[in-house]
Amino acid sequence: MTTRRTALAGLAATAAFPATGAGPALSEAERALAARAASWLETLGEARGDFVQTDSRGRVSRGEVFLRRPGRARFAYAPPSSLLVVADGANVSVADPRLKTFERYPLAATPLALFLSRRIRLDGDARVTAVRKTPSGFEIIARDVRRAHEGQIALAFTDSPLALAGWTVTDAQGRSTRVLLEGLRAVSGLPANLFVLDDPRPRSPGRGKM
């Protein structure tokens, strides 16, 4: 079963995209790969595809992803999960209709803000600690310098053609959540309502805005 925690852990990596700076020295070739990946992300406008998420216990969840940069994303988990995660340009909302739960966070306070921002910065709080070649391309390892003890993110890219292939988030306890992207492709004309998620719960006098 996909939990809200697992979903957010798995999706967090899309936001914590790399920044270089102080820390382990990278070679010119490694810096060039990181810059190339950032440039590719910046040129990505609208896209859609599928994802497969595997948590630290080996539980697998699937779903569909829609992106509209800057600021918007939708991760719809397939049954039996009912989770829906939507970034609307200002907030990230997480709803589970089956459990009747709904939570909302400011986009700027989540890692998704960096991936969805108009400009992918290479000199921010997420710092590249390593760039590794893989059989199909390369992998960029990054940590948030503000919370370096909390784990790391590995973003995987294919090299030919260049594309984001997925990511792995490893927390401070060594637990990893892996997300693989399948068939991510540029599209146009995605409906605006894909990136809107209102709180479905009836308002009560004592409940303020989230």
Side-chain angles (χ1 to χ4, degrees):
M1 175 181 174
T2 303
T3 65
R4 178 185 60 82
R5 178 189 175 280
T6 300
L8 290 178
L11 300 178
T14 50
F17 183 69
T20 56
L26 300 178
S27 69
E28 288 300 317
E30 291 169 338
R31 289 178 178 272
L33 282 177
R36 183 175 170 226
S39 296
W40 182 87
L41 287 172
E42 286 184 348
T43 63
L44 185 65
E46 293 186 352
R48 70 182 298 174
D50 299 311
F51 68 88
V52 180
Q53 178 178 288
T54 305
D55 70 12
S56 60
R57 296 183 180 180
R59 296 174 297 191
V60 177
S61 303
R62 297 176 180 271
E64 193 169 13
V65 57
F66 302 85
L67 301 175
R68 177 185 284 173
R69 298 187 64 259
R72 290 165 173 79
R74 178 186 183 95
F75 295 85
Y77 284 75
S81 175
S82 58
L83 276 175
L84 187 59
V85 180
V86 174
D88 63 10
N91 298 293
V92 177
S93 300
V94 183
D96 189 332
R98 187 176 63 83
L99 297 179
K100 298 181 180 179
T101 60
F102 183 91
E103 297 183 75
R104 177 170 286 161
Y105 311 89
L107 176 59
T110 72
L112 284 172
L114 184 55
F115 173 75
L116 295 175
S117 63
R118 189 176 302 276
R119 175 171 169 73
I120 307 298
R121 297 192 59 187
L122 296 178
D123 56 357
D125 292 316
R127 183 149 301 151
V128 172
T129 59
V131 178
R132 297 194 293 240
K133 285 285 190 178
T134 64
S136 60
F138 60 95
E139 192 173 55
I140 295 173
I141 314 300
R143 292 178 180 269
D144 188 332
V145 296
R146 298 166 301 179
R147 298 182 290 272
H149 62 285
E150 293 187 4
Q152 68 178 26
I153 294 154
L155 284 176
F157 289 84
T158 57
D159 199 17
S160 223
L162 177 64
L164 179 64
W167 55 86
T168 301
V169 179
T170 303
D171 67 17
Q173 287 72 47
R175 297 172 301 198
S176 295
T177 299
R178 184 184 185 190
V179 174
L180 295 178
L181 297 178
E182 298 181 339
L184 186 69
R185 60 199 181 278
V187 296
S188 61
L190 291 177
N193 62 7
L194 281 177
F195 308 103
V196 177
L197 183 58
D198 295 323
D199 189 342
R201 299 172 302 172
R203 292 190 62 82
S204 62
R207 183 167 68 85
K209 293 183 179 179
M210 296 184 69

